[in-house]
Amino acid sequence: VYDMYAFTAAHKTLPLPSFARVTNLDNGRSIVVRVNDRGPFHAGRVIDLSYAAAVKLGYRERGTARVRVHAMTRTRASLSIANRRPVQNHIKGVHAAAMALLAESATGFLVAMNMPDNKLLLIKSLKVDYLKRVVGGLTAVASLSAEQIAAMAEQERGEVLVAVTVSDDSGQQPIACEMRWAWVSKKP
């Protein structure tokens, strides 16, 4: 159901419901919205966002903005960061901490979307091997299998190793990551 005061969106092809991370390319602001409707029905538009989302992304006054959309479904989440000053190291590459955080965020979004509300989620371990220097920005793609999703729904406690690949603008993978998430049932 459309709610102009919630972070919701309409998209022509993304599954309903699903989530998407939307980034305003002009100011770098980014939010996660719930895709719960079909649209947009105007030529040249990729996604329709609610009033609240437009305010948060900083384009309410203009009505439209140049955006990047990363789909997040129950089995796949994708996030990216540009090689901009706030995430750079001393040699103008993406900082190692930002690379690790990107991978952790992509896997965390994915696990959280699948975790029942009666369970507490936490990262158990993360391993990051730095393989080469980054070229440009980075994109992390995390995925879960149907079996992993079922385990999260059915088991009171457990853990899952979430597959994640991090690629730079050249298509290479400058880091290799292992992100292990765990859960326990919340106490009443």
Side-chain angles (χ1 to χ4, degrees), residues 102-113 121 123 142 162 179 181:
L102 180 67
E104 187 261 348
S105 296
T107 59
F109 272 127
L110 187 58
V111 173
M113 284 191 295
L121 171 66
I123 189 149
V162 182
M179 301 288 167
W181 288 86

Side-chain angles (χ1 to χ4, degrees), residues 68 80-85 87-89 91-96 98-99 102 132-139 166-172 174:
R68 177 177 47 237
S80 65
I81 56 174
N83 186 357
R84 290 184 167 175
R85 181 72 191 119
V87 298
Q88 288 179 342
N89 57 23
I91 57 173
K92 305 288 190 231
V94 175
H95 196 282
M99 290 189 243
L102 180 67
K132 68 178 237 25
R133 198 168 165 186
V134 175
V135 176
L138 292 171
T139 299
V166 180
S167 303
D168 65 15
D169 286 347
S170 75
Q172 300 295 310

Side-chain angles (χ1 to χ4, degrees), residues 35-50:
V35 179
N36 62 357
D37 201 358
R38 288 291 173 223
F41 300 109
H42 298 284
R45 293 191 186 173
V46 176
I47 193 167
D48 273 343
L49 299 173
S50 65

Side-chain angles (χ1 to χ4, degrees), residues 1-4 7-19 33-41 46-50:
V1 177
Y2 174 75
D3 180 353
M4 68 184 280
F7 292 146
T8 59
H11 195 275
K12 289 180 183 175
T13 59
L14 290 177
L16 298 179
S18 63
F19 293 86
V33 296
R34 181 180 175 91
V35 179
N36 62 357
D37 201 358
R38 288 291 173 223
F41 300 109
V46 176
I47 193 167
D48 273 343
L49 299 173
S50 65

Side-chain angles (χ1 to χ4, degrees), residues 10-78:
H11 195 275
K12 289 180 183 175
T13 59
L14 290 177
L16 298 179
S18 63
F19 293 86
R21 184 174 185 95
V22 181
T23 303
N24 182 334
L25 297 176
D26 294 327
N27 63 19
R29 292 183 189 175
S30 184
I31 60 167
V32 175
V33 296
R34 181 180 175 91
V35 179
N36 62 357
D37 201 358
R38 288 291 173 223
F41 300 109
H42 298 284
R45 293 191 186 173
V46 176
I47 193 167
D48 273 343
L49 299 173
S50 65
Y51 173 83
V55 169
K56 190 75 171 178
L57 289 174
Y59 75 89
R60 178 181 55 89
E61 298 298 323
R62 287 189 318 239
T64 61
R66 295 180 323 114
V67 298
R68 177 177 47 237
V69 178
H70 286 290
M72 289 192 251
T73 65
R74 290 180 52 88
T75 58
R76 185 178 181 277
S78 174

